[in-house]
Amino acid sequence: SETPLYRAESLVRIQSSASTVIELPEIGGVFEADDSTIESEIELLKSRAFAARLVDQLALVEDPEFNTALDPARRPFWKSAAWRDHLPGPVRRYLFGDEVSGGAVNEGDGASARLRTIDNFLDRLDVDQVSRSYVLQIRFSAEDAAKAARITNAVADTYIVDQLEGKYAAGQRATTWLRARVDEMRGQLVEAE
């Protein structure tokens, strides 16, 4: 029988440019929450790089639900020993590349386990724009309701922290740029006097 999945949902709001106090195109411009920007934010949330951060942060490589190599019962049928062991050795080596040892296919190194975990994570993640708003809906499915909620919240929290860090960096650039302009104007004023 198939294991039931629980879906958790979080909503995050993209900050529109309407609340921007100062526009300084010289230090990176203004965040415009138009269709292409919203689509870009969705793609960022669904990117492998973002997923990799969450997989590492939540140690999902150690979770058999996402790293199926940890639990033989979760392996796809074509990797299971149930039918593979009945194949002649040369056919097994040709199909699977590695010699079978102890009834299990060599699952490769930690890097490939991490890649498979990232793939499984992305299969469970769904991000959409709510209507035509600045709100993104983040949904994640897992076999445990609490785990689904924990992961969904971690995705939202990580996204929000990234946005805040980006705004802080932009503020730092703005401060540096303004200081340079003030120093330049002060120098021009001294020369004029």
Side-chain angles (χ1 to χ4, degrees), residues 136-190:
L136 299 181
Q137 181 182 50
I138 300 166
R139 291 184 302 267
F140 196 86
S141 301
E143 294 174 5
D144 176 71
K147 185 191 297 184
R150 181 174 56 89
I151 293 173
T152 303
N153 289 333
V155 171
D157 290 346
T158 301
Y159 174 75
I160 291 167
V161 167
D162 283 357
Q163 297 305 304
L164 292 173
E165 287 175 352
K167 286 180 182 185
Y168 176 77
Q172 291 296 99
R173 286 193 303 273
T175 301
T176 302
W177 182 83
L178 285 170
R179 279 193 188 125
R181 290 291 295 145
V182 166
D183 291 344
E184 182 184 328
M185 294 173 112
R186 185 179 291 129
Q188 289 172 355
L189 180 61
V190 168

Side-chain angles (χ1 to χ4, degrees), residues 2-186:
E2 206 168 300
T3 306
L5 291 178
Y6 297 89
R7 176 176 274 185
E9 177 182 304
S10 288
L11 300 174
V12 294
R13 182 179 184 275
I14 297 176
Q15 184 67 43
S16 71
S17 61
S19 63
T20 303
V21 177
I22 296 177
E23 291 185 26
L24 296 172
E26 294 86 350
I27 55 93
V30 181
F31 182 90
E32 294 290 342
D34 58 12
D35 287 345
S36 62
T37 302
I38 291 170
E39 188 61 35
S40 296
E41 295 300 299
I42 291 171
E43 290 304 314
L44 174 119
L45 280 162
K46 291 163 56 174
S47 71
R48 289 189 67 78
F50 191 80
R53 286 178 55 199
L54 270 296
V55 163
D56 294 342
Q57 179 183 319
L58 299 169
L60 296 180
V61 173
E62 298 165 18
D63 185 333
E65 182 176 351
F66 298 98
N67 181 4
T68 54
L70 298 177
D71 182 359
R74 293 177 185 272
R75 286 193 192 114
F77 176 73
W78 61 272
K79 280 192 169 184
S80 71
W83 69 279
R84 191 184 59 244
D85 288 345
H86 298 290
L87 297 172
V91 174
R92 262 190 310 198
R93 280 191 294 280
Y94 175 76
L95 290 175
F96 301 106
D98 293 329
E99 183 58 58
V100 178
S101 61
V105 171
N106 181 353
E107 291 292 337
D109 58 14
S112 56
R114 183 172 178 264
L115 292 175
R116 281 190 305 277
T117 303
I118 292 167
D119 288 339
N120 290 333
F121 178 90
L122 287 170
D123 287 344
R124 304 283 186 91
L125 178 67
D126 191 27
V127 182
D128 291 302
Q129 180 182 13
V130 176
S131 271
R132 303 249 331 128
S133 68
Y134 294 126
V135 177
L136 299 181
Q137 181 182 50
I138 300 166
R139 291 184 302 267
F140 196 86
S141 301
E143 294 174 5
D144 176 71
K147 185 191 297 184
R150 181 174 56 89
I151 293 173
T152 303
N153 289 333
V155 171
D157 290 346
T158 301
Y159 174 75
I160 291 167
V161 167
D162 283 357
Q163 297 305 304
L164 292 173
E165 287 175 352
K167 286 180 182 185
Y168 176 77
Q172 291 296 99
R173 286 193 303 273
T175 301
T176 302
W177 182 83
L178 285 170
R179 279 193 188 125
R181 290 291 295 145
V182 166
D183 291 344
E184 182 184 328
M185 294 173 112
R186 185 179 291 129

